DNA sequence: CTTAATGCAAACGGTTTGCAGCCCT
DNA sequence: AGGGCTGCAAACCGTTTGCATTAAG
């Protein structure tokens, strides 16, 4: 994997931010940099794909149906999203294992949540 | 809201199935019915939209980025998705309130999960 | 008869792909 | 010098919209 301006810029962006971002958001940020304002959205997508395949970054699909990317975290974590400003924060307390009392969560109001479990179902196991 | 063939067919479909389905999946099923094989995908989308707005049905966005629809459930619930056959089952035990020991879950292997919390963040609260 | 609902086609937004040229190594 | 990476343009897929026609009440 070669070191190119776009790659460096995307990684710098992802390192600086802690929440997951969409390709378009990253693209817009690059546009503001005069040295990179000719980059193409397709290149951003291709690089993000490459980062994901190489394990540097990970997909993260929230409910808004657009793909987001973040640097791969070693720790298991979830996201808490403000339903007003859409800001996304990280949550390292997992409600599946411990009862829920994270400090971050306590500061939010009108809490709701969405959980999905994934696994191999009984009928697939017996195939 | 008028009673039309398409609407009846879509509702019958959603009543018969217990999991959330995409507009395209519903559309394909209608196609197999000779009385409805001229329906348009746009009409399916429009009707599903109308059902959601009237509260009969609800959106449900899983990680595959395509919108799904299901009849509105009165009980709070989540979904468990087989990572092999993609089949979706319902889960009425909520891991956010009680420790996780649902019977359905116990039969799945290679469990992983995804949780999103939503709420108003502290900075939005003070605006 | 009146208005809502439909089919068709075209537009849309996010994402992917093909291709010719460019630039990292 | 060579192959990976890029920009550009066009294709793609799920979803939405405009419009003229049809059918429900």
């Amino acid at each position: 994997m070669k070191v190119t301006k776009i790659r460096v810029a995307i990684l710098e962006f992802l390192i600086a931010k802690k929440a997951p971002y969409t390709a378009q958001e990253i693209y817009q940020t690059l546009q503001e940099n005069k040295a990179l304002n000719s980059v193409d959205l397709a290149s951003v997508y291709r690089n993000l794909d490459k980062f994901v395949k190489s394990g540097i970054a990970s997909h993260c699909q929230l409910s808004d149906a657009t793909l987001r990317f973040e640097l791969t975290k070693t720790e298991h974590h979830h996201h808490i999203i403000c339903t007003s400003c859409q800001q996304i924060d990280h949550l390292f307390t997992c409600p599946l294992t411990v009862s829920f009392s994270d400090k971050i969560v306590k500061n939010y109001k009108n809490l709701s949540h969405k959980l999905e479990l994934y696994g191999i179902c009984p009928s697939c196991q017996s195939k």
Side-chain angles (χ1 to χ4, degrees), chain A residues 13-75:
Chain A
F13 177 91
L14 290 177
I15 290 167
K17 310 283 187 173
K18 58 245 169 285
Y21 283 85
T22 66
Q24 320 246 357
E25 286 167 343
I26 297 169
Y27 170 69
Q28 278 161 30
T29 306
L30 298 189
Q31 295 274 71
E32 292 160 15
N33 182 333
K34 59 223 168 206
L36 294 165
N37 59 10
S38 68
V39 299
D40 195 76
L41 228 198
S43 300
V44 175
Y45 276 108
R46 274 189 283 232
N47 283 317
L48 287 169
D49 262 15
K50 199 141 209 186
F51 291 159
V52 170
K53 284 190 181 115
S54 71
I56 301 171
S58 315
H59 282 306
C60 150
Q61 188 107 37
L62 305 179
S63 309
D64 63 355
T66 73
L67 211 50
R68 287 166 186 277
F69 300 85
E70 64 181 340
L71 292 183
T72 302
K73 299 279 188 303
T74 47
E75 296 168 77

Side-chain angles (χ1 to χ4, degrees), chain A residues 87-106:
Chain A
Q87 190 192 274
I88 302 169
D89 207 340
H90 279 144
L91 213 60
F92 294 99
T93 312
C94 173
L96 285 181
T97 54
V98 297
S99 116
F100 217 82
S101 61
D102 194 285
K103 302 141 225 136
I104 297 177
V105 177
K106 286 193 166 156

